[in-house]
Amino acid sequence: MPKPHRVVLDRVSGYADEAAAFMRRRRHERRPFARVYWGDGRAVEYPADSDAGEVMFAAAGRLIDVAQEREAE
Amino acid sequence: MPSNTTAIRQITTTVSQDARSSDTAGILAHVPDPQLAEQSLGRLMELSPEMRGGAILDGENVLAASGDAAEWGDAAAALLAATDAVGESAEQVHVATEAGEVFAVRDAGLVALAVTERFVLASLMAFDMRSVLRDLAAGPRVDGAAGGGA
């Protein structure tokens, strides 16, 4: 029978492995998105190929460029 | 014949001083100081090391920015206009691209913008941005620093 602290360690490292696997998959599978949230709890996701999404991605890209200019300085 | 000093005694200066001390802070609380906004932005970037840059706006005025204020203002206005075009004024926007992530949060009449690395925890980022805006809108603390604290 394993010592009690071994059981806890195994369980914790099991959770950590699962979390790492989840993050790995998230990195591989996640697609660009634009989500808008309103005060009443509504949230809408706009795909990059939609009209609204296209404008949002363009504006976000511009902000990313502005932030990169600052980093380059 | 009444003396001049009698008339002078009728002016109660303490009334106006009381009004100033009780009302002015409330009025000024709605006009965040750019210096406080700079401190708030610095605090936000300290809380979120994944941030590449950010800005705090009061309407369309840039109160603080991590780079050129005019460029941040123009880019922010474009994003907010794009999100407002799809409906009523949005409270939060999160755009995730291959090159990075962009967050915009509206709270207490102010707007916070943040550009971060990819895969940041969105809920934590939005929470930090919202709390910084609320502290900024509440005005300076007694010790002169922006509200909140670690």
Side-chain angles (χ1 to χ4, degrees):
Chain A
M1 183 182 166
K3 289 180 180 176
H5 70 279
R6 292 277 177 206
V7 174
V8 174
L9 275 178
D10 285 350
R11 186 162 290 185
V12 170
S13 48
Y15 289 143
D17 285 348
E18 262 186 59
F22 169 76
M23 294 301 281
R24 245 191 337 268
R25 279 162 184 71
R26 184 171 174 245
R27 279 170 209 277
H28 282 114
E29 291 169 9
R30 200 171 76 157
R31 298 274 174 267
F33 62 82
R35 290 184 190 140
V36 182
Y37 303 84
W38 285 272
D40 57 6
R42 278 183 304 129
V44 177
E45 183 168 328
Y46 295 92
D49 55 1
S50 66
D51 288 346
E54 202 174 311
V55 182
M56 282 182 218
F57 275 98
R62 199 169 152 203
L63 276 166
I64 290 169
D65 288 344
V66 171
Q68 261 164 356
E69 280 168 26
R70 177 251 175 191
E71 274 190 330
E73 285 168 10
Chain B
M1 177 182 163
S3 68
N4 286 341
T5 52
T6 310
I8 290 168
R9 278 192 195 119
Q10 289 174 347
I11 301 168
T12 51
T13 54
T14 52
V15 171
S16 63
Q17 285 168 4
D18 278 348
R20 181 190 166 101
S21 62
S22 62
D23 294 348
T24 313
I27 295 163
L28 292 179
H30 299 289
V31 187
D33 179 6
Q35 201 179 344
L36 277 180
E38 287 281 352
Q39 288 175 6
S40 298
L41 183 61
R43 196 170 134 254
L44 180 62
M45 293 188 77
E46 202 176 314
L47 284 171
S48 314
E50 307 90 356
M51 255 181 89
R52 293 181 194 161
I56 295 177
L57 291 83
D58 178 13
E60 291 184 0
N61 301 324
V62 180
L63 294 172
S66 60
D68 184 66
E71 284 188 31
W72 274 99
D74 289 347
L79 179 66
L80 295 173
T83 56
D84 289 347
V86 295
E88 65 204 67
S89 185
E91 194 178 86
Q92 186 185 322
V93 185
H94 178 193
V95 184
T97 73
E98 300 286 344
E101 307 207 2
V102 175
F103 293 86
V105 170
R106 276 194 179 110
D107 203 303
L110 302 170
V111 180
L113 285 151
V115 176
T116 69
E117 300 295 336
R118 293 183 71 201
F119 306 116
V120 290
L121 290 172
S123 52
L124 200 56
M125 193 69 222
F127 175 84
D128 286 343
M129 291 168 79
R130 198 163 278 126
S131 67
V132 160
L133 287 184
R134 283 180 188 164
D135 287 346
L136 180 60
R141 289 186 303 184
V142 178
D143 61 3

